[in-house]
Amino acid sequence: MNDSYTVKQNLTSSSKTFQGRVHRIAIYLQSKVLEIIDSNDSAFYLIYFKNSILGGGELEEITEKTFLHKAFREGIVCYASHPLFPLLLPKGRTIHLPKTNDIFTQLQNHLSLLEVSLAATCMDNFIEKQQLVSIIRQIFNHFKRNGHFAKAYQTAKILLAFSPGIRAIQEIIRASEFEKYRKIEQPPLLMELFYYQNRTERKCEIYLHQLLKQQSRSLERLILFINLFEIKHDFYDFPDFLSLLKHELKPTDQYAVLKFLCECSPAYSPLIEQLIQEQISLKRYPEALSFIVNRIPQLSSTHYEIIERIIEHVDTSYILHLPNVNQIINHLYLTEPAKKEDLVRRLITNLLKIYEPSKVKEWLHPIRENNLCLQICSEVDELESLSRNLDQLMKLGELYYQLGLVDQSIECFAWEMELNPTLLEPIRWLSKLYEEKGMREEADNYKKLSIHMAKRA
């Protein structure tokens, strides 16, 4: 559930509070951006880098080419309907923003300086760009001054990606001490940007997964799998996705992901089979049955076997609401007639509580085509025949009773008593049936009436 969050921001002269609900979340590079909307439709943006809060602020609109613009355009955007949305939300309901002047100093306690330089590029919506450039240049100078040319070169590349027009940096990295680093592949921090932008291409997708795996960013990998399946309706490595899903999420969350993906594309058969397995494992039998019947256009013998396993765990009234269920039953229990008899009897008993025997006989038609030996079919035929003859109300009532339909049986015997008020048999039946229903007063009244009539006879 996406409850309200309160963001508290300590400013130089005062404290400011913003309260609202998370509308969407962007996953981009190693960052996460939360867009929080309040009751006035104002938007507050909260930025995290590697799960460390950087800061944020209220914006009327997002400026083009800034970090937030890229995050929501090039990143993976999750709304409340996304199955992993709850896992991306902050744990606490109150979020305290660090003071702007302290952000990058605090980050150095648990991030490398290279990561701090990349984190700085995430804040251009809230901190002057020249100030951020200055922070990154200080890190570059630190590495260069201490002879860490590889890290200095990577920092320079981050800086130039953020602000391409800095000629001084361009000229510095052309110097001889950086020559060997120019021939080396781009650092992971920058390659990730390229992979993200081109993730729909199979090669970049695979490289991005490898990079995320090396850095133990499992939740992001899952989000990437889901994002690309939404786009391409395919997995480059379905077993890897399943392994990751089972390792990282609880069974209920696994199920939510599988269900979400099946709704995106019901044509990917391995995914469908996996969802059905999860539904059965979680004992979501009605959902499994409904999914098979409603979402799989051509049922196979395997699907019918699965239906046989789960249908016994599903309420009869639910089964009857499934489309064409009488045609499906025709393919069930082909070698176990006793089980088919039991299932059909359950369904017929429910139908007879609502419909006349003629309607129920019509419903039975697809089933009896290949199952003429089912006893319930003969009983329904007899019910339908007796129901057309008022002289057969006693037999009709007895047959309803044999089927466990006490109310219908009572109705038959009540009619018989009205038509033939001198007969004792329907009155005795009524006394017996009301007794079974626990209606003692009615049962005693009919019993007294039968004794009185017997004495008069």
Side-chain angles (χ1 to χ4, degrees):
M1 183 179 178
N2 181 14
D3 294 326
S4 181
Y5 289 85
T6 300
V7 183
K8 291 190 175 180
Q9 189 173 15
N10 293 319
L11 305 174
T12 306
S13 57
S14 64
S15 294
K16 187 177 180 182
T17 298
F18 185 97
Q19 188 171 37
R21 297 179 184 277
V22 180
H23 175 240
R24 57 178 177 162
I25 301 173
I27 305 298
Y28 185 58
L29 304 180
Q30 299 186 62
S31 66
K32 177 174 71 175
V33 181
L34 276 64
E35 182 182 68
I36 304 174
I37 306 295
D38 70 5
S39 57
N40 297 316
D41 286 334
S42 297
F44 192 102
Y45 295 91
L46 198 59
I47 302 175
Y48 290 80
F49 184 84
K50 294 192 76 171
N51 295 319
S52 296
I53 189 163
L54 295 182
E58 193 172 348
L59 294 175
E60 290 186 8
E61 60 180 5
I62 298 174
T63 306
E64 284 194 20
K65 297 183 180 180
T66 60
F67 172 76
L68 287 183
H69 184 257
K70 293 174 184 175
F72 284 106
R73 186 185 63 182
E74 299 173 5
I76 300 172
V77 181
C78 305
Y79 291 87
S81 59
H82 194 284
L84 299 184
F85 189 84
L87 301 183
L88 298 170
L89 295 171
K91 292 182 179 178
R93 293 294 164 194
T94 302
I95 302 153
H96 295 271
L97 293 190
K99 291 181 180 179
T100 303
N101 296 335
D102 300 334
I103 293 171
F104 299 107
T105 303
Q106 292 175 5
L107 285 176
Q108 293 177 41
N109 294 327
H110 49 273
L111 294 179
S112 70
L113 285 176
L114 264 177
E115 290 171 330
V116 171
S117 65
L118 187 61
T121 67
C122 301
M123 290 297 290
D124 59 349
N125 294 87
F126 307 105
I127 299 176
E128 287 292 331
K129 190 167 185 176
Q130 286 308 310
Q131 185 179 344
L132 297 172
V133 167
S134 175
I135 290 168
I136 301 171
R137 288 196 71 161
Q138 288 177 40
I139 294 172
F140 167 79
N141 291 332
H142 168 81
F143 284 137
K144 185 173 180 293
R145 187 170 53 251
N146 288 281
H148 300 145
F149 294 112
K151 291 180 179 180
Y153 182 78
Q154 290 183 45
T155 306
K157 296 292 285 185
I158 290 170
L159 181 55
L160 289 173
F162 179 57
S163 186
I166 306 176
R167 290 184 180 179
I169 297 295
Q170 292 174 349
E171 291 173 3
I172 288 173
I173 63 174
R174 290 195 192 103
S176 58
E177 62 258 48
F178 292 108
E179 184 176 354
K180 67 176 180 179
Y181 303 111
R182 291 197 295 270
K183 299 175 183 178
I184 300 173
E185 188 180 88
Q186 293 270 33
L189 289 173
L190 293 178
M191 286 306 297
E192 184 175 346
L193 173 61
F194 176 78
Y195 296 151
Y196 244 98
Q197 291 171 336
N198 299 279
R199 64 185 179 275
T200 56
E201 296 178 16
R202 183 68 82 194
K203 187 176 180 180
C204 289
E205 175 185 4
I206 293 171
Y207 283 151
L208 183 53
H209 269 290
Q210 289 173 349
L211 188 149
L212 296 176
K213 189 173 184 179
Q214 288 167 5
Q215 298 179 2
S216 301
R217 292 157 64 185
S218 300
L219 186 60
E220 288 179 66
R221 284 194 68 210
L222 275 176
I223 291 170
L224 177 63
F225 267 124
I226 293 170
N227 172 248
L228 291 176
F229 184 82
E230 287 183 275
I231 296 169
K232 301 196 289 187
H233 305 299
D234 190 18
F235 290 97
Y236 93 91
D237 191 338
F238 184 65
D240 185 29
F241 163 72
L242 277 187
S243 175
L244 186 64
L245 189 71
K246 291 181 179 297
H247 186 265
E248 294 299 321
L249 301 184
K250 297 182 294 184
T252 51
D253 292 327
Q254 294 173 31
Y255 173 70
V257 170
L258 293 170
K259 187 176 179 182
F260 177 82
L261 293 174
C262 282
E263 288 171 354
C264 293
S265 177
Y268 192 82
S269 56
L271 186 64
I272 290 171
E273 302 306 324
Q274 188 63 37
L275 175 64
I276 294 170
Q277 286 182 35
E278 290 297 321
Q279 288 170 328
I280 294 171
S281 175
L282 294 170
K283 298 184 178 180
R284 295 174 176 264
Y285 301 119
E287 290 181 42
L289 182 59
S290 178
F291 184 85
I292 295 170
V293 172
N294 292 310
R295 302 294 295 276
I296 301 177
Q298 295 292 329
L299 297 182
S300 65
S301 58
T302 302
H303 292 129
Y304 289 123
E305 288 173 8
I306 295 172
I307 291 173
E308 288 175 359
R309 290 197 344 247
I310 64 178
I311 203 166
E312 295 174 10
H313 302 283
V314 181
D315 185 74
T316 307
S317 59
Y318 187 89
I319 298 171
L320 287 169
H321 282 94
L322 295 172
N324 302 318
V325 69
N326 49 353
Q327 296 179 24
I328 291 169
I329 291 169
N330 198 26
H331 300 276
L332 303 181
Y333 303 119
L334 298 180
T335 59
E336 299 178 283
K339 286 190 175 182
K340 178 170 283 191
E341 175 79 42
D342 180 66
L343 172 61
V344 176
R345 186 172 291 275
R346 271 203 295 148
L347 297 173
I348 290 299
T349 301
N350 255 46
L351 285 171
L352 286 169
K353 293 176 182 177
I354 307 168
Y355 301 110
E356 293 296 320
S358 58
K359 187 76 173 176
V360 176
K361 183 178 178 180
E362 183 181 331
W363 183 89
L364 258 177
H365 182 71
I367 297 173
R368 72 194 312 161
E369 284 182 356
N370 297 323
N371 301 279
L372 295 174
C373 61
L374 291 181
Q375 183 181 339
I376 187 63
C377 293
S378 302
E379 292 174 7
V380 170
D381 288 343
E382 186 179 0
L383 270 179
E384 194 271 333
S385 176
L386 292 173
S387 67
R388 290 187 276 108
N389 190 345
L390 289 178
D391 293 333
Q392 300 294 326
L393 285 172
M394 286 295 296
K395 286 186 178 180
L396 185 62
E398 290 174 18
L399 188 51
Y400 270 126
Y401 179 72
Q402 290 169 18
L403 290 168
L405 298 164
V406 175
D407 289 335
Q408 286 78 358
S409 184
I410 287 174
E411 187 178 353
C412 291
F413 292 127
W415 269 103
E416 180 67 24
M417 191 182 79
E418 289 289 329
L419 295 172
N420 298 290
T422 60
L423 290 179
L424 277 172
E425 196 62 20
I427 298 170
R428 287 172 176 162
W429 265 103
L430 288 168
S431 177
K432 168 186 168 64
L433 295 175
Y434 279 117
E435 181 76 27
E436 289 185 9
K437 282 175 67 72
M439 300 172 69
R440 297 298 301 272
E441 185 177 349
E442 289 82 354
D444 288 344
N445 288 338
Y446 280 111
K447 186 174 183 179
K448 290 174 183 176
L449 178 59
S450 66
I451 291 170
H452 176 70
M453 288 178 64
K455 286 179 179 179
R456 290 182 60 186

